[in-house]
Amino acid sequence: MSNKLVSSWIYVFIAVSLFYLVKYFYLKPEIKVAQDCPPIETNLADGKPFKLDQLKGKYVLLDFWGSWCGPCRKEAPLLRKFYHQWNQTSFQTGQGLEVLSIAIESNRNAWAGAVAQDEMTWPYHILELDQFNSPLVKSFGVKEIPTKILIDPAHHIVAINQSFEEMNELLTRKKL
C-alpha cells in the first residue's frame, strides 16, 4: 500500500512539474534580450500619433498590463517609484527613462479609472482594446501580464520580466 502511495505522489509531482515547465515556456514573451525592439507606431490613448523612435536616446520600460489584472495593479506603486527614480537620470548612453504603458483591455472606462487611481502620471499610454490579439501585443509575443521589457537608448532589449530591484541594479551600472 505504501509503495502505491509513493508512486502516486511521484506521478503527481511529475505532472505538476511538467505543467509549470510548459506554462513557463509557453507564456514567455517571444522576444529575446539583445535583439532590437520591434517597431512601435500607433496612437496613444489620447489619440496622438506615436512612434517609439520619439524616445530614442532614453531608456524605455514597456509595461504590458491591464486594469483587470490583480498583479499589475499591485505593482503599480513600484512602477510609479521606478519611473520617478529614473526619469531624469543621466546615463552613459542616454538621458532619462520613460515608461510606455501598453494596456491590454476591453473597457476604456476601466482603464481610465485604473490610470487615475494608480497615479500613472507618465505621458505615454497605449490602449489595446483588441487585447492579446492586437498586432502590437503579438509583435512582442506577449501572452500574459504583467510583462515588462526594458530597452536601452538605442532600442535594444536589455531585460525581460526582471524585478524592479534587478532593473534598478542594471540602470545603476549605466549611470554617469
Side-chain angles (χ1 to χ4, degrees), residues 100-113:
L100 176 58
S101 293
I102 302 167
I104 297 171
E105 294 287 339
S106 62
N107 183 318
R108 181 180 263 285
N109 291 334
W111 165 81

Side-chain angles (χ1 to χ4, degrees), residues 4-25:
K4 286 184 179 181
L5 185 60
V6 169
S7 62
S8 294
W9 279 109
I10 289 172
Y11 288 126
V12 168
F13 175 76
I14 290 170
V16 169
S17 298
L18 282 173
F19 170 78
Y20 281 104
L21 191 61
V22 168
K23 181 180 174 190
Y24 170 78
F25 284 108

Side-chain angles (χ1 to χ4, degrees), residues 61-78:
L61 180 63
L62 305 175
D63 177 37
F64 291 86
W65 74 289
S67 63
W68 48 270
C69 168
C72 301
R73 301 294 300 279
K74 186 177 179 181
E75 72 180 10
L78 297 171

Side-chain angles (χ1 to χ4, degrees), residues 12 16-18 31 34 47 52 57 59 82 96 128 136:
V12 168
V16 169
S17 298
L18 282 173
I31 55 161
L52 184 60
Y59 279 87
F82 182 80
E128 290 297 331
L136 174 60

Side-chain angles (χ1 to χ4, degrees), residues 4-128:
K4 286 184 179 181
L5 185 60
V6 169
S7 62
S8 294
W9 279 109
I10 289 172
Y11 288 126
V12 168
F13 175 76
I14 290 170
V16 169
S17 298
L18 282 173
F19 170 78
Y20 281 104
L21 191 61
V22 168
K23 181 180 174 190
Y24 170 78
F25 284 108
Y26 173 75
L27 293 177
K28 221 173 141 177
E30 294 172 7
I31 55 161
K32 305 283 184 245
V33 169
Q35 81 178 57
D36 290 340
C37 183
I40 298 175
E41 186 173 344
T42 188
N43 288 329
L44 296 174
D46 63 7
K48 292 178 188 167
F50 175 81
K51 288 184 182 181
L52 184 60
D53 288 343
Q54 292 172 223
L55 302 178
K56 205 117 182 147
K58 295 179 178 253
Y59 279 87
V60 179
L61 180 63
L62 305 175
D63 177 37
F64 291 86
W65 74 289
S67 63
W68 48 270
C69 168
C72 301
R73 301 294 300 279
K74 186 177 179 181
E75 72 180 10
L78 297 171
L79 178 60
R80 193 171 51 249
K81 180 180 176 187
F82 182 80
Y83 170 71
H84 289 294
Q85 178 178 351
W86 297 106
N87 179 250
Q88 298 298 317
T89 302
S90 294
F91 296 100
Q92 297 164 7
T93 57
Q95 177 61 40
L97 172 134
E98 291 294 343
V99 171
L100 176 58
S101 293
I102 302 167
I104 297 171
E105 294 287 339
S106 62
N107 183 318
R108 181 180 263 285
N109 291 334
W111 165 81
V115 168
Q117 184 177 11
D118 294 345
E119 300 174 27
M120 298 177 172
T121 58
W122 45 90
Y124 302 103
H125 296 273
I126 295 172
L127 183 57
E128 290 297 331

